[in-house]
Every structure is written in C-alpha cells, then in structure tokens.
Amino acid sequence: MSDMRDAALSSKAWPFEEARRVLKRYQNKPPEKGFVLFETGYGPSGLPHIGTFGEVLRTTMIRRAFEEISDIPTKLICFSDDLDGMRKVPGNVPQQEMLAEHLHKPLTSVPDPFGTHESFGHHNNAMLRRFLDTFGFEYEFYSAREFYKTGQFDEVLLRAAERYDEIMAVMLKSLREERRQTYSIFLPIHPETGRVLYVPIKEVNAKDGTITFDTEEGEEMTLPVTGGNVKLQWKPDFGARWAALGVDFEMYGKEHATNTAIYDRICEILGGKKPEHFSYELFLDENGQKISKSSGNGISIDEWLTYASTESLAYFMFLKPKTAKRMHFDVIPKAVDEYHQQLRAYETQDAKARANNPVWHIHGGDVPTSDMVVPFSMLLNLASVSSAEDKGQLWGFIQRYAPDASPEKNPGMDAAAGHAVRYFNDFVKPNKVFRAPTDLEREALEELRDTLRAWDGGPDAEALQSMVFAVGKERFDPLRDWFTALYEVLLGASQGPRFGGFIALYGVTETADLIDEALAGRLTAA
C-alpha cells in the first residue's frame, strides 16, 4: 500500500471521509454495474451559477478521494432536470413577455430567449456543459428529456405504476391535507399544449402502464407513463433516478436534507439501493441572502474568474462545506493568498499532511508549484500606490523585488497581476479614503521617511519590517495603531500588508516619496 493511500484511509479531510463511506458499500463484492456512480443534479431554470460549479467540484473531490483509496472504476453523471415545467420566468434573462407565454411547459419546450439554441433548456444545458468543460471536469451529461423519451427510464416508470400506492403512502405523509387531495407522483404532459399538468389522477393502470386524468379543460385523457408522456414529481423523481441509474453518491444543498428519507425510501421501493449523500450549506450573497440562479445575485463564475484563478475558487469551495459562506467580492484576495500558502506548504509535507491539504483535493494529487513571488494582497497595494492601469506597471516592481521572475517563467504570477489591476480598479479604487495624519503620526512618519532616505540595507523585507516596527514602538501603544495609521494615511485602506514587505517591493526611495506626498496633503486632495 502506498504512503498516500495509507494516509487517505485515516485522513480527516471531508472528501476522504465521504469516500470511505462510499467504499463501505462494496467491501464484500464489487458493484454489478462495474463502477461506482457519482451524480450531481442541475435544475436548468436559470443560467448556471457558482453553486452549481461548487456541487460538481466537491463531488469530483470525493470521486478523486475514492480513486485514491480504491481500485474500483468510477463515473460522474451530471443530470439536468430539463423536463421540469417552467414555474416562473427567471428575472435575469431577456424576452420576459415571450417566456411568460410558455409557463408550465418543460424547459426543453420553451423557446430560447437568447436565440442561440433549440430551447431555453438546451441553452442552459449548453452553458452548464461549457463551464464544466472549461474547468476540465470528467463527466457524462444526462438530459431528463432524453432519459424519459428514449425509454431509459421506462422500466422504473412501469414499476412506479405497479407500486403506485406504496410510493403515494410515502409521499402523502409529507404533505398538508389540502395538497393530499390532488397530489399524484405522476405529472402528465399534455400532448397538444405541451404543458406539464398538475392535475389529480383518476386511475393508474399498472397492467397497461397508463394513467387516466381530466385535463384542466375537463377532458378525460389516458397516457402511457413511458416514452416521455409523463414525468415524475420532483421528490419521487429523485429516488426513481437513483434506482434507475444505480447511483452510489449524490450531494445536495441543505434545502433537500429534510427530504432525504423520502428519496431513499422511494429508491428502495423501486428496487434500488439508497446512495450515500452529503448535505452542504448554502452560499450567501453579501447581504446574507441565498444565491439563486433565477435572481442572479451573488458572484457568478465569470465574475470570480475576472479577478482570480479557478484554483482560488476551488480552494474557497473546499473550505467547510457544512458551513454557510458569504460569497462576495471581498473574499477573493484572501482565497488567492491562502491557496498559494497551501501550495508552498505542500512541498515539504509528509503524506498524512498532504492528505489533509486542500490543494491535494483541488488538483487530485497532481499538485503544481506556486510561482507567486508576491502575495495577491500586496499586488493590490502596489496597484493602489502606483495607480496601475495594466499589469506591466506591476511587473516593474515585481522584477526589482524578484529579478529572476518574468511573465514567461511565472505565468500564475502574471495572471494574478492582471487580476489585481482589475480588482483594484473595480473594487478598491472607488472605496479608497485617505486621511491626514495626527500630530503624533506625522512625527513618526517623518522619522520613518528620514530613516528610509538614509537606508543602505537594500530591499530586505525583514530588516525593513524591523525598522518600521522600531519607529512605531517608541510612540504607539498598542503598536497596531501605528500600522493602522500607515495603511490609512499612505494606502487609503483600513488594513494592509506587512509593511516591510511593501517597502521592499515598492522601493525604499519610492516609499519615502510616498510619505512626503501624504505629509504635504496631496494624497487626501487627490
């Protein structure tokens, strides 16, 4: 057994803990289907958003963890519920009036408001697949429309008709009295209007595999449950899909957690083995509201990638999945720097520590080396004091600090410099507020400036930090008041980097000049 597999079998990292639960299903014999099946579901009622990405990414992390501890082959299915009726018009897409005319039709029967695909569902499926492909996920895409219409679901649908009363008994326990009167696990799709009908079912004929119902206009109609004429309500659909595909693992948001027992029982009634599941907490926007596809609040994937790398997003997704997290633009710099800190730590760690390091799970064990010679937070401060409009300006400072670095040799650093300029101009610059120093702060700043003018120690970040520390220690208690003053007076921010590192990067003479600018009042006047 390899050191890594040995470490993985006892690691407390959550992907390994989940992988070990999946492995227990097959301790006695391997799966008859020949592989372990991981699934993620996608409701294409709106454009794919960051939560969708997180679900696939986290499932992929567990899949990779499973492959580390087992030799059983695996598959990942991304299943789109594109036969669902469009219950409301999403607020963040064009042609709202046109879409309103197609309410309650399956998403794959609603015209595409963007005019690029066969239907709205096809458009959103294409968006999903585009970003999954962009991030290099290995998956098979399943469409509910195809799953129902091509007969892949027929066997389980016929079994649902046979065991209708047993499944209904499970469902009725979870419903209010008023809802029970009209509820059925089957939703017919009107053959003429194409609408998904929420109507009572008059008869389920298990022998013929049909259902009989009255349409909304009062016309009696009989349809086969097979061939895409009927779809299951969403809760029975969950369990039925698990049974039909033989799903071994699925994760979902906590809003589904209360339904887990229902999904499991329906899966078992239909002849399947309930899968392992993992319930994660929701992503929130900066106001604490749940991120929603239809409302488009929170950060989109494209927005995150405008300001930071995919890997930093994956790092953020890895952290504490059972804790609700606010996803807004302020979290990006911290995620970038912590990701690179973990990359640097990984190089010297043993197998046990590596198994617990987020970067092992982000990269599936094939962990790159960080080429970030300057932290992202420091780049933001550089962009601030230099009013950088492009990354080339930042490279002038970077190469003085690290002469061997270059855009060609440090592509991650180069990308981060571009991200930092965009982030600074969009988020930091509009909120910068410089203040004038107090008399005590002015006195300390003058001493710091004079010391810098006489400095002959070169760009030694630690020596410079000690010097800044010594200047402040004479006058400030607590000492953090001195550093707060440096950030607020010189950088227009309430917090900032280790100041010795900033001086080494920005330049000793340039920092002395910056202090003169602040003392002359030119920063507050800008």
Side-chain angles (χ1 to χ4, degrees), residues 366-388:
D366 186 15
V367 178
T369 301
S370 173
D371 67 1
M372 285 280 284
V373 294
V374 176
F376 190 74
S377 56
M378 191 76 82
L379 290 177
L380 290 178
N381 285 288
L382 271 183
S384 176
V385 296
S386 62
S387 298

Side-chain angles (χ1 to χ4, degrees), residues 86-87 133 275 280 311 416 431 441-443 446 461 519:
M86 185 175 68
R87 306 290 291 272
D133 292 342
Y280 57 84
E311 292 79 12
N431 298 309
E441 291 165 353
R442 175 176 288 275
E443 180 184 298
E446 287 173 346
L519 294 176

Side-chain angles (χ1 to χ4, degrees), residues 41-106:
Y42 168 59
S45 56
L47 305 182
H49 69 101
I50 212 156
T52 314
F53 168 78
E55 191 166 298
V56 180
L57 175 78
R58 287 166 168 172
T59 303
T60 296
M61 288 178 175
I62 296 167
R63 181 188 182 189
R64 287 169 174 164
F66 181 88
E67 291 170 345
E68 185 62 42
I69 64 173
S70 171
D71 297 320
I72 302 172
T74 65
K75 276 189 185 180
L76 169 62
I77 285 176
C78 292
F79 197 104
S80 173
D81 293 311
D82 56 18
L83 204 59
D84 285 354
M86 185 175 68
R87 306 290 291 272
K88 64 179 182 178
V89 177
N92 59 343
V93 297
Q95 300 202 60
Q96 300 270 306
E97 290 183 12
M98 179 278 287
L99 288 174
E101 296 172 8
H102 297 275
L103 285 172
H104 303 295
K105 288 184 181 178

Side-chain angles (χ1 to χ4, degrees), residues 434-449:
F434 292 93
R435 68 168 176 83
T438 65
D439 290 344
L440 179 65
E441 291 165 353
R442 175 176 288 275
E443 180 184 298
L445 283 165
E446 287 173 346
E447 182 183 339
L448 177 59
R449 176 202 59 200

